[in-house]
Amino acid sequence: PSKAPLPSYHPDLPEVRRDWAQYYDKLSQMDKEVGKILRGLEEDGLADSTIIFYYGDHGSGMPRSKRWPFNSGLHVPLIVHVPKAYQSLAPEDYQAGGESERLVSFVDFAPTLLSIADRPAGESMQGVAFLGKRSGPAKDYLVGFRGRMDERVDNVRSITDGRYVYMKHFYPDRPYLKHVEYMFQTPTTAVWKSKFDAGELTDAQAKFWQNKPHEELFDLQADPDETINLATQEKYADKVEELRGALMSRLEAIKDVGIYPEPMMLDLCGDEAPYDVVREKGTSFKRLVDIAFTMTGTTTTKPGLNPERIQRLAESGQALARYYAARGASLSGDIATLEKVIGDKNPTVAVAASEGLRRHGDKAQRDAAATRILEIIQSGSFHDLVVVDALNVADRDKELFDTLAKSSKELKSSQKKGSRTGKYIARLQDYIQRNP
């Protein structure tokens, strides 16, 4: 453990060192397993006719890596071996023992395998082949995604050109890290949080238990741990604008249905695949992406949230527009709009409005918002993910938190007993009752 390199965002503690040491030991173990497979190919006489791909499935399994679209969460090992018999399928910059700066993502794997077999990729595939007769041009950018993680609601998108990482947060009013049962199985997470609560962390270490900015920019050369946000510095304005624009264009092109809050996505799609539904409906994702960015604090036209636009969206017949109006009003303190949509028939809109009124309203408005949130949580008539959303709001509000902590009432799940979404409700309720 004393030799394990630690990122600057993790505290230097025995528990953290043990976890990182174990992680590096697992890499050594994995290399031995791969060695067995390679020896097996040699023994079977297949080594000279086998193209080998060796890669991970995400960044390190440590907190703030896996499940996060930082480079630490998305940068994975990738080694490709092309035997001499198939050198014609290798890219121009291929050489044994060499490295390539080409940007590659998992969506490129399927087109690449088809290209090796000299078959075209399907139209629905977003990737570009990097080997074979049908290989395509290198990408300028790679895009990363984060949505709800188990019982915690979040929404983040990132994009990188290989050196800079731009990150857009759609919940800038919430911390990076909150209690997730799965994540707290790692000793590092628990001790990291306890040291934050005790006020014993550096700024870089404390950052990830605090609220997020609405956008970030990191320079991987100067700051490989991605702890210094450059997005607010004037000299990086052009790079921020470039990457933000490229990200927005990409989300529009692929019709990123994650722009919808998850309960609304379920309402929109039912039992059908979101991919098909948004294409059949001909939804304007250019407008939706613009709304999602601007109503969560990232505008490319003028600073600040536009109150006139918030009010127009609040009067829309589309629930998604009203939801983002509530988010914009919550971030800007637009109480009039929040009061207008707190009674919305769509519970996700009502939850967003209630969160804003709990933050900005007077006592009567705060009480009304508390009543609405508790009704949604305790009624048992809404989809589990609506309840999860409401619980995510309640457990950051001391009064609501205390009200729920004192209640022994078991929250009902709208799904079948033992369902995954029902378990998320149970985990949140258990966390609230264990932490009054």
Side-chain angles (χ1 to χ4, degrees):
S2 63
K3 296 179 181 179
L6 304 183
S8 60
Y9 49 82
H10 281 168
D12 191 348
L13 299 166
E15 297 90 339
V16 180
R17 286 199 163 276
R18 279 197 298 271
D19 281 346
W20 274 108
Q22 181 188 50
Y23 173 70
Y24 283 107
D25 286 345
K26 292 296 183 184
L27 295 181
S28 299
Q29 182 181 344
M30 186 65 194
D31 284 343
K32 291 180 180 178
E33 295 295 324
V34 172
K36 292 178 183 177
I37 294 172
L38 297 182
R39 285 193 297 275
L41 289 173
E42 290 278 1
E43 292 167 1
D44 294 340
L46 298 172
D48 294 334
S49 60
T50 302
I51 297 175
I52 299 168
F53 293 78
Y54 178 27
Y55 53 92
D57 64 335
H58 49 67
S60 83
M62 296 292 287
R64 212 222 72 161
S65 292
K66 180 182 177 181
R67 295 184 161 200
W68 269 99
F70 290 97
N71 194 60
S72 61
L74 297 181
H75 190 193
V76 301
L78 172 60
I79 300 173
V80 180
H81 168 68
V82 182
K84 291 182 180 179
Y86 296 111
Q87 287 294 301
S88 63
L89 299 177
E92 291 182 2
D93 61 348
Y94 179 88
Q95 62 182 64
E99 294 183 10
S100 172
E101 293 298 317
R102 178 172 177 141
L103 298 178
V104 173
S105 187
F106 287 170
V107 292
D108 301 326
F109 284 1
T112 295
L113 293 178
L114 289 168
S115 175
I116 288 172
D118 197 16
R119 295 290 184 271
E123 290 184 5
S124 64
M125 290 185 178
Q126 297 169 10
V128 177
F130 56 89
L131 292 174
K133 296 180 179 179
R134 298 174 184 265
S135 59
K139 295 178 174 180
D140 294 322
Y141 309 104
L142 298 180
V143 178
F145 303 79
R146 170 180 166 89
R148 174 183 55 78
M149 294 296 166
D150 295 344
E151 63 265 34
R152 291 298 173 183
V153 176
D154 201 359
N155 199 15
V156 187
R157 299 292 182 267
S158 70
I159 189 168
T160 182
D161 61 5
R163 173 174 176 178
Y164 291 96
V165 175
Y166 169 85
M167 194 171 295
K168 165 60 187 168
H169 297 285
F170 294 97
Y171 287 98
D173 46 347
R174 297 183 183 181
Y176 294 84
L177 299 180
K178 283 286 287 177
H179 188 278
V180 177
E181 190 66 29
Y182 171 83
M183 188 173 66
F184 269 74
Q185 301 303 311
T186 305
T188 289
T189 309
V191 70
W192 189 13
K193 179 61 164 62
S194 70
K195 291 298 182 181
F196 171 76
D197 292 339
E200 298 175 1
L201 298 178
T202 66
D203 288 346
Q205 293 161 359
K207 174 181 177 180
F208 299 98
W209 299 100
Q210 300 168 336
N211 284 4
K212 307 181 284 286
H214 63 87
E215 64 181 357
E216 296 184 277
L217 179 73
F218 303 108
D219 180 353
L220 295 176
Q221 285 187 10
D223 175 32
D225 287 342
E226 301 163 284
T227 62
I228 303 169
N229 181 17
L230 305 174
T232 58
Q233 297 185 24
E234 184 61 31
K235 68 178 181 178
Y236 293 100
D238 289 345
K239 178 56 69 172
V240 170
E241 185 175 354
E242 172 202 335
L243 293 179
R244 182 201 298 132
L247 178 62
M248 294 177 76
S249 295
R250 188 60 179 154
L251 301 185
E252 294 161 14
I254 66 172
K255 298 187 182 295
D256 178 11
V257 77
I259 292 299
Y260 287 80
E262 203 170 1
M264 284 189 180
M265 189 196 306
L266 294 172
D267 290 342
L268 174 74
C269 303
D271 294 330
E272 298 181 70
Y275 180 94
D276 296 326
V277 172
V278 297
R279 283 157 177 77
E280 291 167 2
K281 287 181 177 289
T283 304
S284 172
F285 268 79
K286 183 176 180 62
R287 175 175 177 269
L288 293 186
V289 170
D290 176 68
I291 289 173
F293 271 67
T294 56
M295 290 298 107
T296 53
T298 306
T299 174
T300 57
T301 52
K302 65 178 183 177
L305 287 154
N306 185 317
E308 291 80 13
R309 190 178 191 197
I310 292 174
Q311 291 162 17
R312 286 198 307 272
L313 291 172
E315 295 169 357
S316 171
Q318 186 181 29
L320 182 64
R322 301 196 302 276
Y323 165 79
Y324 277 111
R327 291 290 296 131
S330 181
L331 291 172
S332 64
D334 181 349
I335 292 176
T337 297
L338 293 169
E339 283 203 298
K340 182 181 295 184
V341 294
I342 191 174
D344 200 283
K345 63 182 179 181
N346 187 294
T348 304
V349 177
V351 169
S354 298
E355 181 178 22
L357 281 177
R358 290 293 301 173
R359 185 180 299 150
H360 302 292
D362 59 26
K363 185 178 186 309
Q365 292 161 337
R366 286 174 52 80
D367 289 346
T371 299
R372 187 79 169 108
I373 285 280
L374 293 173
E375 284 175 350
I376 289 171
I377 290 173
Q378 296 172 336
S379 72
S381 59
F382 295 105
H383 191 282
D384 288 353
L385 291 178
V386 173
V387 179
V388 167
D389 191 17
L391 284 166
N392 272 259
V393 171
D395 92 336
R396 297 192 62 234
D397 184 312
K398 187 176 187 323
E399 185 180 339
L400 288 175
F401 192 107
D402 290 346
T403 299
L404 289 167
K406 292 172 185 174
S407 171
S408 60
K409 179 181 178 182
E410 183 177 349
L411 300 178
K412 297 177 182 177
S413 169
S414 65
Q415 308 302 299
K416 292 179 180 178
K417 188 174 181 180
S419 69
R420 177 172 291 187
T421 52
K423 290 177 181 177
Y424 297 150
I425 292 175
R427 287 180 193 172
L428 284 166
Q429 185 181 32
D430 180 62
Y431 169 71
I432 288 171
Q433 292 182 338
R434 283 189 289 110
N435 296 273

